[in-house]
Amino acid sequence: SDHNLKYPTCPEEMDWSIHYPAFFPSAKSSNPADEPSNRPVLDTSTPSRPENQSAQLTPTAPHPTIADVGCGFGGLLIALAPLFPNSLILGLELRHQVLSYVHSRITALRSQNPLRPQPESSSSPQTETPTNGTAPEANPMTTTHYANISALRTNTMKFLPQLLPRASLTHLFLCFPDPHFKARKHKARIVSAQLNAEYAYFLKPGVGKIYTITDVEELHGWIVRHFEGHEAGEVKELFERVGEEELEGDECVRVMREETEEGKKVTRNGGRKFVGVWRRKKDPDWE
Ligand code: SAM
């Protein structure tokens, strides 16, 4: 139950060095793959902040910029690792045993793919660190050490604001969420007016995107209606739908279709997959 979940009182208290020791110069790690001499370069692009915003809203320490809500067995995290080698990617999962499995998978991958010392001629051999705040372009030749992925146990419907700072995410994934068919269970769906406003809070305005995929057409319809503000009392102006043309070249769409455990299952069963992606609109108060 949620009583057993551990979470900080605010994102500034969160110690991400435990999850991504290779990215934190002073962190100690028991995994030789995370040795300081082998540390990768982090995409440190943090949200810009208006002068009048309080300092505590600004994430200063490295923090995850990509989140997979309800990550299950971690297939998406592992597929995203080489696509965004300089970003911290976080899976959030409710079930204890599933999370333990994800941790074992990541530990094994890190041991099998240790970090190597960087060549002196290059400050960031894995990929160019972007200067415009967006994530790096996909590079299939990138060597992956899996130092940039981790997962933690939480109930995302309750505790996300304690974990992640405002405007900190470039990508938020909701892949094959439980459909909750019965009407009385709809409040457990992870797309709703209240949660959408919360997701908007975490996404970087003008940049951050929410990726959704499901094999349940009725749930897809529900998701679309809620993001497009067709349900009563919703805040339509927070998101704009990303068009098909832009999605065709988007590696994130490919991996969520092909690399999630649920996506693979649907493929095996010959089912359909429904995708929707929304970008957080610019926020004049944040520019
Ligand atoms: N995203 C994975 C995939 O596509 O393979 C797993 C999909 S599985 C159907 C849904 C996952 O969401 C389950 O692992 C479940 O435990 C998790 N989940 C459901 N509600 C959650 C919540 N409130 N917070 C965190 N995880 C949740």
Side-chain angles (χ1 to χ4, degrees):
S1 95
D2 289 355
H3 299 297
N4 302 326
L5 295 173
K6 291 195 184 115
Y7 52 90
T9 54
C10 63
E12 291 73 20
E13 278 181 13
M14 190 66 205
D15 181 4
W16 293 115
S17 69
I18 296 164
H19 288 270
Y20 313 97
F23 285 87
F24 288 77
S26 57
K28 296 247 184 305
S29 170
S30 54
N31 187 344
D34 297 329
E35 275 304 301
S37 59
N38 300 333
R39 290 182 197 284
V41 177
L42 183 69
D43 169 9
T44 51
S45 56
T46 51
S48 58
R49 171 177 65 94
E51 289 297 308
N52 59 356
Q53 291 280 351
S54 87
Q56 67 183 17
L57 292 178
T58 306
T60 48
H63 55 80
T65 54
I66 300 175
D68 181 10
V69 170
C71 68
F73 295 98
L76 183 75
L77 299 174
I78 290 164
L80 289 174
L83 300 183
F84 302 98
N86 299 336
S87 300
L88 302 185
I89 304 169
L90 180 68
L92 303 142
E93 173 53 49
L94 187 58
R95 290 180 292 167
H96 176 67
Q97 282 181 328
V98 175
L99 183 76
S100 301
Y101 175 82
V102 178
H103 281 166
S104 312
R105 247 180 129 175
I106 295 173
T107 302
L109 284 166
R110 286 183 184 177
S111 298
Q112 289 156 13
N113 301 276
L115 293 163
R116 309 238 176 271
Q118 316 273 321
E120 280 183 15
S121 56
S122 164
S123 62
S124 177
Q126 298 181 23
T127 194
E128 296 263 317
T129 301
T131 51
N132 62 358
T134 57
E137 290 296 309
N139 175 2
M141 299 305 288
T142 297
T143 311
T144 301
H145 311 296
Y146 302 97
N148 60 333
I149 56 172
S150 188
L152 58 75
R153 183 166 173 244
T154 193
N155 182 345
T156 56
M157 297 183 83
K158 293 187 182 172
F159 302 121
L160 272 190
Q162 269 93 340
L163 297 169
L164 298 172
R166 180 180 179 184
S168 59
L169 297 180
T170 56
H171 300 69
L172 192 158
F173 291 91
L174 304 172
C175 297
F176 299 99
D178 299 315
H180 295 297
F181 286 112
K182 290 183 185 155
R184 69 184 168 78
K185 287 268 187 182
H186 282 187
K187 60 181 185 306
R189 284 185 174 167
I190 58 178
V191 168
S192 68
Q194 186 199 333
L195 288 170
N196 287 5
E198 200 169 292
Y199 298 144
Y201 171 89
F202 298 117
L203 287 167
K204 197 170 176 183
V207 173
K209 285 179 274 185
I210 293 201
Y211 288 76
T212 68
I213 185 168
T214 175
D215 57 329
V216 179
E217 192 165 12
E218 182 202 328
L219 179 60
H220 178 64
W222 162 285
I223 290 172
V224 170
R225 284 201 305 280
H226 277 74
F227 274 108
E228 304 212 327
H230 296 167
E231 302 295 316
E234 300 203 8
V235 273
K236 183 178 179 176
E237 68 275 13
L238 292 175
F239 295 99
E240 61 196 357
R241 191 158 183 183
V242 178
E244 287 298 320
E245 212 172 292
E246 186 176 333
L247 295 185
E248 268 170 33
D250 190 333
E251 276 289 284
C252 293
V253 173
R254 184 188 65 75
V255 294
M256 77 176 182
R257 293 181 73 97
E258 296 174 9
E259 304 292 345
T260 51
E261 277 75 18
E262 287 297 319
K264 288 179 180 171
K265 205 191 291 179
V266 176
T267 302
R268 281 197 300 276
N269 296 336
R272 292 173 67 197
K273 300 172 197 175
F274 303 91
V275 170
V277 180
W278 284 266
R279 183 179 283 107
R280 169 78 167 101
K281 284 189 176 174
K282 285 192 172 175
D283 179 351
D285 293 338
W286 189 262
E287 298 306 311

